[in-house]
Structures are given as C-alpha cells and as structure tokens.
Amino acid sequence: MNNKFMDLAIKEAQKAFLIDEVPVGCVIVRDDRVISKAYNKKEKLCCASKHAEVLAVEKASKKLNNWRLEGCDVYVTLEPCPMCASLLKQARVNHIYCGLSNSDTTNYEIVKQILNKDKNNSHVLISNDLAVEKVSELMKKFFVKKRNK
C-alpha cells in the first residue's frame, strides 16, 4: 500500500464533498503511476451508477485503450459497494486498497464473495481500514452538513 495514492483518493473525495456528493474518491495505479482518478458524481450527473470507482475505471480503460486493467491497483476511500466490486473484478484489477470499511458490515461479506475466484475471473485482493481517521472525519463532516440542511 502506498500512502501517497490513498492521499490522492482522499483529495478526490474532498472534491465530492465540496459539490455535496458523498465523499468517495478513487485512484487507479499501474507501475507506481496514476492512470486515473475520480470522485462520486451521482447527484451531479443524475445517475445512480456514477460512483467514483465506475468513473475511474472508465477513464483508465479509455487511457489504456483496454477494458482489462490487469496490473492495476485501486485506492478508494470507502469500501466498494457490490456493484463497484463486480466492476473491479470484471476489469481484472489486482488489489483494492480501502481507506474505510463500509458501516454496513454485511457489505464486506458480499464484496468478499464477489472478489473470490470463480470459473472466469481470478481473485481480487482487498485491504480495508487503511486511512480510517482521515476518511471517517470527512464522512462525518458530510453527514453533519446534510443533517443541518
């Protein structure tokens, strides 16, 4: 795990916070180089699928001219939802580094099942709670702001 990439993901999450989106940021890295970065834009784009991970995969695939992101690692501030976990597995990333686990503990069990090896795809590694203080502080600020509106 490289802290500088998690810090970049947190900077992306802060961009989401500033536009009143759930503050989740994602950075995709290959060979110690940033391939893409993105943050949540569900509200801005009026689309439930516009999670940070989805947007980052789209950018990385376009940049690499390949939907296969083999050799890539993903740094995301919040543990992926099942939709994003499925996408990351289909994209064949190597490792997902998460700043904070999802508060819904069943999410992790579902995500682990998705990321396990199956007949068509290899296993994707996942590491959680790598930047708990920074990410949870940003999340708390977001939800306090939401409640005060």
Side-chain angles (χ1 to χ4, degrees):
M1 210 280 299
N2 189 319
N3 286 332
K4 76 177 180 182
F5 298 129
M6 184 59 73
D7 288 342
L8 279 175
I10 292 168
K11 284 182 182 175
E12 289 297 303
Q14 289 166 337
K15 292 176 186 177
F17 176 86
L18 292 174
I19 63 168
D20 213 26
E21 295 273 359
V22 176
V24 177
C26 181
V27 174
I28 299 179
V29 176
R30 181 190 275 170
D31 298 327
D32 222 27
R33 284 186 18 252
V34 173
I35 303 299
S36 69
K37 53 188 178 176
Y39 54 91
N40 272 359
K41 290 185 182 173
K42 285 170 53 173
E43 301 296 332
K44 182 177 180 171
L45 299 176
C46 297
C47 184
S49 68
K50 296 307 180 184
H51 292 200
E53 299 95 326
V54 172
L55 296 168
V57 165
E58 288 173 354
K59 288 179 182 180
S61 296
K62 187 174 182 177
K63 185 172 183 178
L64 297 173
N65 197 31
N66 195 337
W67 62 268
R68 291 174 189 87
L69 300 181
E70 293 164 328
C72 291
D73 291 329
V74 175
Y75 291 80
V76 63
T77 55
L78 184 65
E79 178 184 280
C81 70
M83 174 185 73
C84 291
S86 294
L87 171 68
L88 294 169
K89 182 174 183 175
Q90 288 297 313
R92 300 181 180 165
V93 302
N94 287 350
H95 202 131
I96 304 167
Y97 296 98
C98 308
L100 182 67
S101 294
N102 193 304
S103 61
D104 177 0
T105 54
T106 59
N107 187 77
Y108 181 71
E109 294 307 316
I110 294 166
V111 166
K112 279 296 279 183
Q113 280 186 312
I114 290 168
L115 297 177
N116 280 337
K117 184 176 181 169
D118 58 34
K119 284 193 252 180
N120 300 314
N121 298 294
S122 61
H123 178 77
V124 176
L125 300 171
I126 186 168
S127 301
N128 278 2
D129 294 329
L130 302 172
V132 172
E133 287 182 33
K134 290 178 183 177
V135 177
S136 60
E137 179 183 325
L138 185 58
M139 288 296 214
K140 286 175 190 170
K141 280 175 32 181
F142 174 77
F143 287 108
V144 165
K145 183 171 95 170
K146 278 295 203 194
R147 281 190 287 277
N148 290 336
K149 279 192 170 185

Short mmCIF file of all heavy atoms in Angstrom, two decimals, residues 42 46-55 58 83-84:
data_model
loop_
_atom_site.label_atom_id
_atom_site.label_comp_id
_atom_site.label_asym_id
_atom_site.label_seq_id
_atom_site.Cartn_x
_atom_site.Cartn_y
_atom_site.Cartn_z
N LYS A 42 -22.86 11.07 -8.52
CA LYS A 42 -24.23 10.58 -8.70
C LYS A 42 -25.24 11.71 -8.79
O LYS A 42 -26.13 11.70 -9.65
CB LYS A 42 -24.62 9.65 -7.55
CG LYS A 42 -23.98 8.29 -7.60
CD LYS A 42 -24.18 7.48 -6.33
CE LYS A 42 -25.60 7.37 -5.91
NZ LYS A 42 -25.79 6.44 -4.76
N CYS A 46 -26.90 12.89 -12.16
CA CYS A 46 -28.26 12.31 -12.05
C CYS A 46 -28.28 10.85 -12.50
O CYS A 46 -29.13 10.43 -13.29
CB CYS A 46 -29.27 13.12 -12.83
SG CYS A 46 -29.47 14.79 -12.23
N CYS A 47 -27.31 10.08 -12.00
CA CYS A 47 -27.20 8.68 -12.40
C CYS A 47 -26.66 7.86 -11.24
O CYS A 47 -25.57 8.14 -10.73
CB CYS A 47 -26.29 8.56 -13.61
SG CYS A 47 -26.18 6.88 -14.25
N ALA A 48 -27.41 6.85 -10.84
CA ALA A 48 -27.05 6.02 -9.69
C ALA A 48 -25.73 5.27 -9.86
O ALA A 48 -25.11 4.89 -8.87
CB ALA A 48 -28.17 5.02 -9.38
N SER A 49 -25.29 5.07 -11.09
CA SER A 49 -24.07 4.29 -11.31
C SER A 49 -22.79 5.12 -11.31
O SER A 49 -21.70 4.57 -11.44
CB SER A 49 -24.17 3.52 -12.63
OG SER A 49 -24.15 4.41 -13.72
N LYS A 50 -22.89 6.41 -11.16
CA LYS A 50 -21.70 7.26 -11.28
C LYS A 50 -20.90 7.34 -9.98
O LYS A 50 -20.61 8.41 -9.46
CB LYS A 50 -22.08 8.64 -11.81
CG LYS A 50 -22.65 8.60 -13.22
CD LYS A 50 -21.72 7.86 -14.19
CE LYS A 50 -22.30 7.82 -15.59
NZ LYS A 50 -21.49 7.05 -16.51
N HIS A 51 -20.53 6.17 -9.48
CA HIS A 51 -19.67 6.06 -8.30
C HIS A 51 -18.23 6.38 -8.72
O HIS A 51 -17.87 6.26 -9.90
CB HIS A 51 -19.71 4.65 -7.73
CG HIS A 51 -21.02 4.28 -7.12
ND1 HIS A 51 -21.14 3.26 -6.22
CD2 HIS A 51 -22.28 4.79 -7.27
CE1 HIS A 51 -22.39 3.14 -5.85
NE2 HIS A 51 -23.11 4.06 -6.47
N ALA A 52 -17.42 6.75 -7.75
CA ALA A 52 -16.02 7.09 -8.02
C ALA A 52 -15.30 5.96 -8.76
O ALA A 52 -14.54 6.21 -9.71
CB ALA A 52 -15.30 7.42 -6.71
N GLU A 53 -15.53 4.72 -8.33
CA GLU A 53 -14.85 3.58 -8.94
C GLU A 53 -15.24 3.43 -10.41
O GLU A 53 -14.39 3.15 -11.26
CB GLU A 53 -15.18 2.29 -8.19
CG GLU A 53 -14.75 2.28 -6.74
CD GLU A 53 -15.85 2.70 -5.78
OE1 GLU A 53 -16.69 3.57 -6.14
OE2 GLU A 53 -15.89 2.17 -4.66
N VAL A 54 -16.53 3.59 -10.70
CA VAL A 54 -17.01 3.45 -12.08
C VAL A 54 -16.34 4.50 -12.97
O VAL A 54 -15.83 4.19 -14.06
CB VAL A 54 -18.55 3.58 -12.14
CG1 VAL A 54 -19.04 3.64 -13.58
CG2 VAL A 54 -19.21 2.43 -11.38
N LEU A 55 -16.35 5.74 -12.50
CA LEU A 55 -15.76 6.82 -13.29
C LEU A 55 -14.26 6.63 -13.48
O LEU A 55 -13.73 6.88 -14.57
CB LEU A 55 -16.07 8.16 -12.62
CG LEU A 55 -17.57 8.52 -12.57
CD1 LEU A 55 -17.80 9.70 -11.65
CD2 LEU A 55 -18.12 8.77 -13.95
N GLU A 58 -13.70 3.83 -16.05
CA GLU A 58 -13.97 4.34 -17.40
C GLU A 58 -12.79 5.15 -17.92
O GLU A 58 -12.36 4.97 -19.06
CB GLU A 58 -15.24 5.19 -17.41
CG GLU A 58 -16.51 4.37 -17.24
CD GLU A 58 -17.77 5.23 -17.07
OE1 GLU A 58 -17.67 6.47 -16.95
OE2 GLU A 58 -18.86 4.63 -17.03
N MET A 83 -21.85 -3.41 -6.56
CA MET A 83 -21.78 -3.04 -7.97
C MET A 83 -20.34 -2.71 -8.37
O MET A 83 -19.83 -3.20 -9.39
CB MET A 83 -22.68 -1.82 -8.26
CG MET A 83 -22.55 -1.28 -9.67
SD MET A 83 -23.48 0.23 -9.98
CE MET A 83 -22.51 1.45 -9.09
N CYS A 84 -19.68 -1.90 -7.55
CA CYS A 84 -18.30 -1.49 -7.86
C CYS A 84 -17.32 -2.65 -7.71
O CYS A 84 -16.38 -2.77 -8.49
CB CYS A 84 -17.90 -0.29 -7.00
SG CYS A 84 -18.80 1.20 -7.45
#
